[in-house]
Amino acid sequence: MGIVLRVDGLSYSYASGWKAIDGIDFTLEEGETVALLGANGSGKTTFLLHLNGLLRGEGRIEVGGELLTNESVGRIRELVGFIFQDSDDQLFMPTVWEDVAFGLRQRGVGIAEARERADGMLRRLGIGKLAERAPYQLSAGEKKRVAVAGVLILDPAILVLDEPTTFLDPPGQREFLELLQSLPQAKVVATHDIGFAEGIARRAVFFEGGRARDDGQIGEIVDRYRWRVVERK
């Protein structure tokens, strides 16, 4: 398997002066799933937001062998699909099918073809009956699947997910885990949910103080850092 994502020396400071990530190196292989573990404020989300250029810091990012630059960021965003923690941040069209078809329409796909492909993706994810519903009428689990559908329809090579089990009840978490397990894309998943992480990934990276402190088999990382990974309420 080849490397689909390479990050070298990535650093980023917010306007306040807080250095959120500091010199992170990271690789992701084709088809691999990696869990990012660490306490709130450890830099996981800031790191994820760099992977398709939503934030731009110092360092080097390559996706599919292409360097992320001002010129390539549009192409990179087609390769890296981002699933936000709160699905409401991604769902904004009047109906579900229009949300799923939005990316296609932005690419110039005609409305009839976009509708057909959106309906097909919704059926693939087991939510075809939701096509005409308004997103605000959906459950948290349904919203998450619709958000995934809107990303998958663009055929990305990598899925990036930030705290994907937030707002999901236990049955919804299990269903979403099964969905992700069925998808062939490489995945980077930031989560506090140890059970979910162990169910989706074989490898984990532990973040602390804006740095990737440890990288290895997920069972070993969880054993070493469990008390510093679980979210404090």
Side-chain angles (χ1 to χ4, degrees):
M1 290 188 179
I3 292 175
V4 293
L5 172 66
R6 184 185 299 276
V7 179
D8 296 313
L10 185 64
S11 298
Y12 183 80
S13 296
Y14 286 96
S16 65
W18 172 46
K19 196 161 194 174
I21 52 175
D22 184 11
I24 292 178
D25 299 326
F26 178 83
T27 59
L28 179 71
E29 293 189 354
E30 182 180 354
E32 183 183 27
T33 298
V34 178
L36 307 186
L37 306 178
N40 288 334
S42 60
K44 303 187 303 298
T45 296
T46 300
F47 174 73
L48 293 184
L49 290 170
H50 280 79
L51 300 184
N52 69 349
L54 293 174
L55 289 179
R56 301 290 297 277
E58 299 176 357
R60 181 182 178 92
I61 297 175
E62 290 184 7
V63 178
E66 182 167 16
L67 182 65
L68 175 60
T69 65
N70 291 335
E71 291 72 30
S72 69
V73 66
R75 294 190 296 276
I76 296 298
R77 286 177 180 168
E78 294 183 358
L79 296 174
V80 182
F82 202 107
I83 311 296
F84 289 89
Q85 179 175 355
D86 188 345
S87 298
D88 287 334
D89 292 337
Q90 289 184 254
L91 306 179
F92 52 85
M93 297 295 284
T95 64
V96 163
W97 82 261
E98 289 173 290
D99 251 316
V100 175
F102 179 79
L104 294 178
R105 296 289 287 142
Q106 293 298 107
R107 290 185 180 181
V109 176
I111 190 167
E113 181 183 348
R115 175 65 195 261
E116 182 179 0
R117 290 169 63 178
D119 285 344
M121 182 57 68
L122 289 169
R123 289 194 300 270
R124 175 184 168 190
L125 298 189
I127 51 174
K129 64 183 180 181
L130 302 178
E132 298 292 346
R133 296 272 295 277
Y136 72 84
Q137 297 175 325
L138 306 181
S139 70
E142 290 169 338
K143 287 180 180 179
K144 190 69 72 173
R145 282 180 175 256
V146 172
V148 172
V151 170
L152 289 182
I153 204 168
L154 300 177
D155 196 27
I158 301 168
L159 296 179
V160 174
L161 302 100
D162 189 17
E163 299 293 348
T165 58
T166 302
F167 309 123
L168 298 182
D169 59 17
Q173 292 175 15
R174 288 193 296 272
E175 290 176 1
F176 192 63
L177 174 62
E178 291 172 359
L179 170 62
L180 292 182
Q181 289 172 332
S182 73
L183 300 176
Q185 283 87 356
K187 304 171 192 72
V188 185
V189 184
T191 183
H192 287 101
D193 186 331
I194 298 300
F196 185 85
E198 291 177 324
I200 195 65
R202 293 185 178 181
R203 175 180 155 219
V205 178
F206 176 68
F207 275 59
E208 186 177 54
R211 297 187 176 184
R213 297 287 186 181
D214 207 348
D215 184 336
Q217 294 293 313
I218 189 163
E220 297 172 356
I221 298 297
V222 167
D223 286 345
R224 282 199 286 269
Y225 302 105
R226 183 183 296 270
W227 67 277
R228 294 150 79 179
V229 167
V230 178
E231 184 175 15
R232 304 299 193 267
K233 300 295 185 182

